[in-house]
């Protein structure tokens, strides 16, 4: 159960991860993070000028047959103080309220998320439009790759992130 999962990050940031899990109603399990994902996150952080020698990784994935997205995962790279530097994932995890909660992650520099949300007539499609980036305008966030539920309203908020250096979007509305 989600309550049994203890992210090895700063306690305030662990609360955010638990909030995301609760909002999405997932049954996650801790899983090993693939080497190619670690390498990609390290490369991104290095490109942003972050020293990655002491960076550690942690990941959860959606338990098989859990609601609503099998194969989804949430991975974090964190520093020696437990502050999350980068988040990566697949599947609907970051609805707008969860994006706003990321404001409590003071060292977050990168978010890479594939298939975040839904499209078409799904009843939750607007919950993933990216407007939650409004809370990150003054953050240290420098790099975003996101897709699926993201739309023009989200783009307006991303444009307000002062330190943003890299942005890409795919599968958007």
């Amino acid at each position: 159960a989600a309550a049994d999962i203890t992210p090895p990050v700063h306690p305030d940031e662990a609360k955010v991860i638990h909030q995301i899990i609760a909002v999405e109603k997932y049954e996650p399990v801790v899983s090993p993070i693939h080497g190619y994902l670690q390498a990609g996150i390290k490369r991104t952080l290095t490109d942003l000028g972050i020293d990655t020698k002491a960076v550690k990784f942690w990941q959860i994935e959606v338990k098989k047959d859990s609601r609503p997205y099998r194969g989804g995962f949430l991975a974090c790279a964190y520093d020696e103080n437990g502050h999350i530097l980068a988040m990566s994932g697949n599947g609907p995890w970051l609805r707008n309220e969860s994006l706003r909660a990321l404001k409590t992650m003071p060292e977050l520099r990168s978010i890479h998320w594939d298939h975040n949300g839904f499209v078409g007539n799904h009843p939750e499609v607007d919950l993933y439009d990216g407007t939650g980036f409004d809370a990150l305008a003054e953050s240290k966030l420098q790099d975003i790759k996101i897709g699926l539920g993201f739309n023009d309203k989200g783009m307006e908020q991303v444009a307000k992130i002062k330190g943003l250096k890299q942005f890409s979007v795919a599968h958007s509305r």
Side-chain angles (χ1 to χ4, degrees), residues 27-29 61-67 69-71:
E27 293 180 47
V29 293
E61 63 184 34
V62 178
K63 187 175 169 183
K64 187 174 179 171
D65 299 324
S66 178
R67 180 239 171 241
Y69 194 86
R70 286 189 315 239

Side-chain angles (χ1 to χ4, degrees), residues 38-60:
Q38 287 184 34
I41 292 171
K42 277 189 169 186
R43 187 172 40 254
T44 297
L45 290 172
T46 299
D47 290 349
L48 296 174
I50 307 297
D51 182 1
T52 61
K53 288 183 198 116
V55 168
K56 295 180 182 176
F57 296 91
W58 181 79
Q59 176 176 293
I60 54 176

Side-chain angles (χ1 to χ4, degrees), residues 6-162:
T6 306
V9 298
H10 189 278
D12 293 339
E13 297 177 38
K15 286 179 191 174
V16 173
I17 292 172
H18 278 279
Q19 174 189 334
I20 292 168
I21 293 167
V23 165
E24 296 303 335
K25 300 179 178 81
Y26 286 135
E27 293 180 47
V29 293
V30 176
S31 62
I33 185 169
H34 295 287
Y36 71 87
L37 184 56
Q38 287 184 34
I41 292 171
K42 277 189 169 186
R43 187 172 40 254
T44 297
L45 290 172
T46 299
D47 290 349
L48 296 174
I50 307 297
D51 182 1
T52 61
K53 288 183 198 116
V55 168
K56 295 180 182 176
F57 296 91
W58 181 79
Q59 176 176 293
I60 54 176
E61 63 184 34
V62 178
K63 187 175 169 183
K64 187 174 179 171
D65 299 324
S66 178
R67 180 239 171 241
Y69 194 86
R70 286 189 315 239
F73 70 89
L74 178 155
C76 301
Y78 58 97
D79 66 15
E80 62 275 358
N81 297 314
H83 291 295
I84 295 174
L85 302 170
M87 295 182 77
S88 184
N90 187 31
W93 290 83
L94 297 178
R95 55 178 79 197
N96 294 320
E97 68 183 275
S98 296
L99 285 171
R100 288 184 182 103
L102 300 181
K103 183 177 184 175
T104 63
M105 296 180 175
E107 299 302 323
L108 183 62
R109 306 299 171 87
S110 176
I111 298 171
H112 283 200
W113 224 274
D114 291 326
H115 308 108
N116 188 55
F118 304 94
V119 294
N121 294 324
H122 192 282
E124 296 179 350
V125 70
D126 288 334
L127 300 176
Y128 298 88
D129 66 9
T131 55
F133 280 113
D134 62 350
L136 301 172
E138 302 293 328
S139 71
K140 293 183 180 179
L141 191 58
Q142 297 176 303
D143 171 62
I144 299 170
K145 177 186 176 244
I146 198 157
L148 208 56
F150 191 85
N151 69 14
D152 290 345
K153 293 176 188 175
M155 183 68 86
E156 288 174 25
Q157 300 310 316
V158 165
K160 296 175 185 175
I161 299 173
K162 293 188 168 109

